[in-house]
Amino acid sequence: MALVHEEVADAICTKHAETGLCFYFHYLEKQGCACSVSHLVVMNTQRDPVATQLSSDTLGRPVRTLRVKMVLLGGSGVGKSSLALRFVRSEFRSTVPTVGCAYMTHMIHLRDVSLRFEIWDTAGQEKYHSVTPLYYRGAHAALLVYDISKRETFYRVQLWLQELEKHYIPGSTVMWLIGNKADLGHARQVSEQEGHSLAADRGLYFIETSALSGDHVDELLQDVAHRVYECVGGQQGGLSEWEEKPCEDLHHRDMSSLLTSCCKS
Amino acid sequence: MDGEAQNESVACEKATLAPVDRLRSNRAESPTPGLVEGTEPGAVQKSAFFAHAQSFEDLTAEAEEKAEQEGVVEDSGQTEDELQVLVGERTITEQHAQDVSPQSRSKEEDMSSEAWRSHRKHVFVLSEAGKPIYTRYGSEEALSSTMGVMMALVSFVESDKNTIRSIHADGCKVIFLAKSPLVLVGVSQTYQSDKELLRELQYIYYQIVSLLTLTQLNHIFQNKQNYDLRRLLAGSEYLTDNLLHRLDRDPGLLLSAVTCLPLSNSVRDVVSSSLQAAKAKNLVFSILLAGDRLVTLVRKKDQFLHHIDLHLVMNLVGSSSSFREGEGWTPICLPKFNTAGFFHAHISYLESASDLCLILVSTDREDFFNMSDCKQRFLERLTKRTAYQALKEALKCPSYSVEQVGIPELRHFLYKSKSSGLYTSPEFPELYQSDEEQERLMGLYQDLHSHLHHPVRPLRFFYRCTNKENLLAWVTNGFQLYLCFSPLGTKAMAVSAVNKLLKWIRKEEDRLFILSPLTY
Ligand SMILES: Nc1nc2c(ncn2[C@@H]2O[C@H](COP(=O)(O)OP(=O)(O)OP(=O)(O)O)[C@@H](O)[C@H]2O)c(=O)[nH]1
Ligand SMILES: [Mg+2]
């Protein structure tokens, strides 16, 4: 039995190499060395995680599912769609420029809650700029992506930042600055330090990723999940503003017909 | 625009004024049906889903359009008896200029000029200020002086209150289309007529409008005359490239029609009604495609989709794999519907590896979740039915071979039913498997097409022998037909094949066409 361990935030994901099954060990306590397993989630990564998601933890308590609206912004070709593909399918494929916007969903399981990420992968091309407010409006997480090998995209990301700040309601959106294509170190045009300082100045989280190699991609998503859950106020009674949305907005639109049929009746 | 839509819907009703009973009996009895529009094989039984344009004609200048329509009225008394007369009237058996290999010509030119000059067809788009916007080959920057000269030509003639249409020089045609705020220029070494080339430039114009809307284009250039539009079109050049490629290859663009996935009537009905049931307030069109073939289309009552708009949608979907990742949501202008505003299209594949692509067109930019919900409802309904399996089965053979028709000399054909705006065509036979041969055959069809739609002397019937194939084209008020025979056949044989083919199409019509399109 070959098991691959990977520690992500407060959960350990263990992937069984032959079956592709993922075992998530969630720990009740992050601090201290004595950790006790709170529950175990088994996911078959070959299938949509939602379909196999356990609806209750091992103690029989129902696991709540909360919606997280996440938007990816940045110039064309910086790797937004590639990152989204990594998030959702853990793979890297050649992509083409996005037309308009691509929408996909992905479940992240935290220790006492499941977050249903609704990912809006926007098009970086300028002609779609005018429709982008649709996607960042009301977003709980905004990922501002640039390409470390193209300085121009770093400027571009600052324009996005300015635009977001105009509409920013403190405490409602967690923002990340992401320097993607970290694997292209030899062609680097934006130093890690520059990214860091921009992020620090403007109160953003910062990370450099590579959608190509997968470096820091899972960490990023786990981190986003935690920050959103903590900062946007999911701890006590949940993120109520998500449930206030009109009925049809609450329908789950995953490929899992299981879920859809029980939501509608 | 509104007026146009109105005319179109009137024309549409006209097509179905005849009571359905009479239509049916006409269908059955007429040996060469289709001399009256609405009775041809593949004709729609209710109102069609396309804006009932004179399709080809509506792309050309208004004066020409009028002349053509008058021509149609004059000829409307024609019956099948006249077929023989027409055959005698115009039969051309010749070694057409086209058969002189165009290859050797272009090589010759190649010697004395740069490589890109030898391309068969160039297309340039520029702003009225002479700024380059698009070139099919090469880079716009490198061509800015050339485009400047083009613009100078246009404005020189315009200053004289005149319009430059084309320049003919030494096997080369330069066609101009001024569509403020854009100017389109085609440079062609093909044998296509000015009118055909103009039609292709129109398509390119609509492609650009569909990305930006005409209102936005006007606004941009009113504010800044020498704006560099490439900024806004960046990353979409491939759409124009692909459209030009399609113009050389896709009979649908030539015929101003689309083709359907062959599917048994009952299966298509289930798919259509499932789609019809998944409606929403702002939903205007639901389109289900299998590659470039239409599976079904449901439209809002009184709203018609123009075939050009549908081709632009097909070009968008077919050119980008980006819709395979999740659900796509994009603004799109359907210029034949309305050049002023955007629709918003929800684009997604029914299954990840499937060719079935669903396009839901809404008027509301905030409608994403409603459209997503419509898709889900459609899919739920459909997957419960056995028809879904049958549909997937049908995807495995999206075409048919010409042998099924049972006419030995017949190699290939295009048949368009005018009232439905749909066409059918078998797959290319072995002889025409290579890209060059397919493009050559398309070139022959284009040539026939331009004879039938000649602005001054349109023909109704045209027979032509070359040393590689015999060709026959026939247009009536109900249909257009283009046939390609082996060069060994005779004219009499070709004429009798027409009847046989029409009967075959009649027999297969509910599989090959969508006879009863639905509205919400
Ligand atoms: N070397 C390297 N290439 C990458 C990485 N991420 C993406 N790319 C490549 O960059 C190109 C653009 O990637 P996309 O993900 O399509 O970019 P995008 O930001 O979605 O672009 P738009 O949709 O036009 O806004 C593709 O060729 C990717 O293969 C990365 O981490 N490293
Ligand atoms: Mg993208």
Side-chain angles (χ1 to χ4, degrees), chain A residues 20 37 43 51 77 128 138 140 143 154 240 242 247 256:
Chain A
V37 177
M43 296 200 316
Y128 297 115
H140 307 110
L143 310 190
F154 189 60
S240 52
W242 299 331
C247 180
S256 150

Side-chain angles (χ1 to χ4, degrees), chain B residues 219-291:
Chain B
H219 184 77
I220 288 167
F221 285 109
Q222 269 156 22
N223 281 344
K224 196 169 171 227
Q225 235 198 340
N226 62 353
Y227 183 84
D228 186 357
L229 197 64
R230 282 179 304 160
R231 249 182 75 183
L232 279 183
L233 292 176
S236 299
E237 300 86 353
Y238 71 97
L239 284 174
T240 313
D241 294 343
N242 284 354
L243 188 62
L244 281 165
H245 182 70
R246 280 165 187 254
L247 282 164
D248 287 338
R249 301 293 301 273
D250 185 345
L253 290 163
L254 176 69
L255 298 175
S256 304
V258 294
T259 192
C260 305
L261 178 77
L263 195 61
S264 94
N265 209 3
S266 56
V267 174
R268 200 183 314 267
D269 283 350
V270 171
V271 179
S272 303
S273 60
S274 306
L275 197 54
Q276 184 190 34
K279 60 183 169 191
K281 190 167 122 249
N282 299 314
L283 185 58
V284 192
F285 301 112
S286 310
I287 307 161
L288 185 62
L289 297 180

Side-chain angles (χ1 to χ4, degrees), chain A residues 93 103 126-127 248 253, chain B residues 231 236 325 327 370 372:
Chain A
R93 255 191 280 135
Y103 172 88
E126 194 175 325
K127 64 176 154 294
E248 67 251 44
R253 275 159 302 270
Chain B
R231 249 182 75 183
S236 299
E325 310 305 337
E327 298 165 58
N370 289 331
S372 183

Side-chain angles (χ1 to χ4, degrees), chain A residues 161-213:
Chain A
L161 188 53
Q162 276 173 19
E163 185 166 337
L164 281 188
E165 281 170 343
K166 267 189 256 158
H167 303 265
Y168 181 66
I169 306 163
S172 70
T173 312
V174 189
M175 291 197 272
W176 253 265
L177 181 66
I178 294 160
N180 189 41
K181 307 202 188 178
D183 55 287
L184 298 180
H186 56 279
R188 182 187 281 276
Q189 290 186 356
V190 184
S191 72
E192 192 162 2
Q193 186 50 44
E194 273 180 278
H196 253 306
S197 2
L198 177 67
D201 283 356
R202 313 288 274 269
L204 276 66
Y205 298 100
F206 174 72
I207 195 167
E208 283 197 352
T209 58
S210 167
L212 178 86
S213 70

Side-chain angles (χ1 to χ4, degrees), chain A residues 30-44:
Chain A
K30 196 176 172 183
Q31 263 86 39
C33 43
C35 298
S36 60
V37 177
S38 91
H39 68 276
L40 171 66
V41 181
V42 184
M43 296 200 316
N44 184 343

Side-chain angles (χ1 to χ4, degrees), chain B residues 192-218:
Chain B
Q192 281 171 289
S193 66
D194 287 15
K195 196 175 165 184
E196 299 278 337
L197 292 166
L198 205 57
R199 186 178 58 90
E200 301 195 353
L201 291 182
Q202 295 262 14
Y203 267 110
I204 302 307
Y205 167 74
Y206 286 127
Q207 175 63 68
I208 293 172
V209 171
S210 102
L211 289 166
L212 300 173
T213 74
L214 185 57
T215 310
Q216 196 182 331
L217 271 178
N218 283 329

Side-chain angles (χ1 to χ4, degrees), chain A residues 49-98:
Chain A
V50 178
T52 45
Q53 176 213 339
L54 300 186
S55 57
S56 62
D57 65 15
T58 43
L59 303 176
R61 293 171 310 192
V63 172
R64 288 183 310 150
T65 303
L66 301 174
R67 299 170 74 198
V68 175
K69 178 174 178 180
M70 179 164 91
V71 63
L72 288 152
L73 297 167
S76 185
V78 298
K80 297 180 295 298
S81 301
S82 306
L83 281 172
L85 203 62
R86 271 273 172 211
F87 291 156
V88 174
R89 299 224 198 101
S90 309
E91 63 182 44
F92 181 82
R93 255 191 280 135
S94 70
T95 52
V96 295
T98 307

